């Protein structure tokens, strides 16, 4: 039984290909995962709230995300991707429609130079700070670790995707791991317990250990996300060929929640109170 207000903090919607065309330069092509399927996912798993994250294959066209947010009628929040020319008026419109952060995805683009990421984050922080937004960063853990002191002082919060992309086999004493944990303790960073398949081939015990380490470091800065509909780029598939989604049954999601968040109080903290604080539910 999940707590009242339980939130899935990392999902994507994939609409009709004609109504919502994908960018030509995408790295992979998923099949449909429309709004109706999202609602089924929430109902099936006992989730009341949801955060929609703009996927890379839509570029800066946030229409699919925004249309889904409108249909959620206050149950959802969005993390958008915009281009550098986005105006203050356009950002304010996104806020009015439920967006609460910007996603900076440098890992998919293969960018790992800390200086390049730092400059980008600082520019966006100045622009979104008045809205009370945060920056959601998908980057290599070594890149984040190199920027940890800078991120701790950034004037907006930073959210790290998918266990901060730290390989599950990484020892707690590793310097990169220690830098990430210290960043969480600073109070300006959050981490999502999501998509364990992106950090391990199946070492559930190691993943659970890292969930525990993040919770021990900063329980008020930990979020959970299913990563529904579990996008993947199938080996051997060209970028414009449809790659099947990973098969993650509801029982597996429920089991991971039990392993990572043992006890009612920690589940209420991570699934309800923390998302309410960050996303403004």
């Amino acid at each position: 039984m999940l707590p009242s207000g339980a939130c899935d903090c990392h999902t994507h919607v994939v609409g009709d290909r004609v109504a919502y065309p994908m960018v030509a330069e995408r790295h992979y092509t998923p099949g449909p995962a429309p709004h109706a399927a999202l609602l089924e996912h929430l109902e099936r798993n006992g989730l009341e709230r949801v955060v929609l994250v703009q996927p890379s294959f839509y570029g800066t066209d946030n229409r699919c995300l925004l249309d889904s947010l409108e249909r959620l009628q206050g149950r959802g929040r969005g993390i958008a991707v915009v281009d550098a020319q986005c105006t203050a008026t356009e950002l304010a419109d996104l806020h009015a429609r439920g967006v609460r952060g910007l996603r900076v995805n440098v890992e998919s683009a293969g960018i790992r130079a800390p200086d390049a990421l730092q400059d980008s984050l600082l520019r966006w922080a100045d622009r979104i700070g008045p809205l009370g937004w945060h920056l959601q960063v998908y980057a290599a853990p070594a890149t984040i670790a190199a920027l940890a002191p800078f991120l701790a002082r950034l004037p907006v919060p930073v959210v790290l995707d998918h266990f901060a992309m730290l390989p599950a086999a990484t020892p707690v004493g590793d310097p990169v791991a220690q830098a990430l944990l210290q960043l969480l303790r600073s109070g300006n960073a959050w981490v999502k317990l999501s998509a364990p398949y992106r950090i391990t081939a199946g070492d559930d015990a190691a993943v659970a250990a890292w969930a525990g380490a993040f919770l021990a470091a900063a329980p008020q800065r930990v979020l959970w996300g299913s990563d529904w509909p579990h996008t993947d780029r199938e080996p051997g598939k060209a970028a414009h060929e449809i790659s099947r989604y990973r098969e993650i049954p509801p029982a597996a999601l429920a089991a991971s929640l039990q392993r990572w968040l043992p006890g009612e109080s920690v589940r209420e903290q991570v699934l309800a109170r923390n998302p309410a604080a960050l996303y403004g539910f």
Side-chain angles (χ1 to χ4, degrees), residues 13-26 28-35 55 57-58 61 63-64 238-245:
V13 281
V14 186
D16 177 79
R17 292 280 293 278
V18 175
Y20 306 104
M22 299 179 188
V23 296
E25 64 274 17
R26 62 190 181 272
Y28 68 102
T29 300
H35 180 81
F57 48 79
Y58 281 142
D61 182 353
R63 288 179 303 130
C64 188
H240 286 210
E241 290 183 272
I242 293 179
S243 286
R244 292 172 297 179
Y245 294 113

Side-chain angles (χ1 to χ4, degrees), residues 130-214:
L131 294 168
W133 288 10
H134 63 270
L135 289 167
Q136 180 170 310
V137 182
Y138 184 34
T143 303
I144 296 297
L147 291 176
F150 162 79
L151 296 174
R153 299 189 304 270
L154 202 65
V156 299
V158 175
V159 175
L160 307 178
D161 276 350
H162 308 325
F163 286 85
M165 290 301 292
L166 192 67
T170 306
V172 174
D174 181 88
V176 167
Q178 284 296 307
L180 294 174
L181 291 170
Q182 186 57 37
L183 175 58
L184 284 183
R185 295 187 192 103
S186 77
N188 201 46
W190 305 63
V191 66
K192 288 186 183 181
L193 307 183
S194 58
Y197 36 76
R198 302 189 190 279
I199 64 168
T200 181
D203 189 344
D204 293 340
V207 173
W210 270 111
F214 289 138

Side-chain angles (χ1 to χ4, degrees), residues 52-164:
L52 307 180
V53 178
Q54 174 76 345
S56 61
F57 48 79
Y58 281 142
T60 59
D61 182 353
N62 296 282
R63 288 179 303 130
C64 188
L65 178 149
L66 293 171
D67 288 351
S68 191
L69 283 180
E70 182 177 4
R71 296 170 71 182
L72 284 164
Q73 298 183 321
R75 295 177 61 193
R77 296 290 186 265
I79 307 301
V81 176
V82 299
D83 59 37
Q85 287 71 45
C86 186
T87 67
T89 299
E90 289 169 330
L91 291 174
D93 178 66
L94 290 173
H95 184 86
R97 299 176 72 178
V99 171
R100 292 298 180 267
L102 292 184
R103 190 183 201 199
V104 180
N105 184 345
V106 295
E107 181 63 13
S108 293
I111 300 171
R112 297 195 170 185
D115 290 348
L117 178 56
Q118 178 173 315
D119 292 344
S120 174
L121 295 180
L122 195 55
R123 285 195 300 271
W124 281 118
D126 289 341
R127 298 184 63 189
I128 69 173
L131 294 168
W133 288 10
H134 63 270
L135 289 167
Q136 180 170 310
V137 182
Y138 184 34
T143 303
I144 296 297
L147 291 176
F150 162 79
L151 296 174
R153 299 189 304 270
L154 202 65
V156 299
V158 175
V159 175
L160 307 178
D161 276 350
H162 308 325
F163 286 85

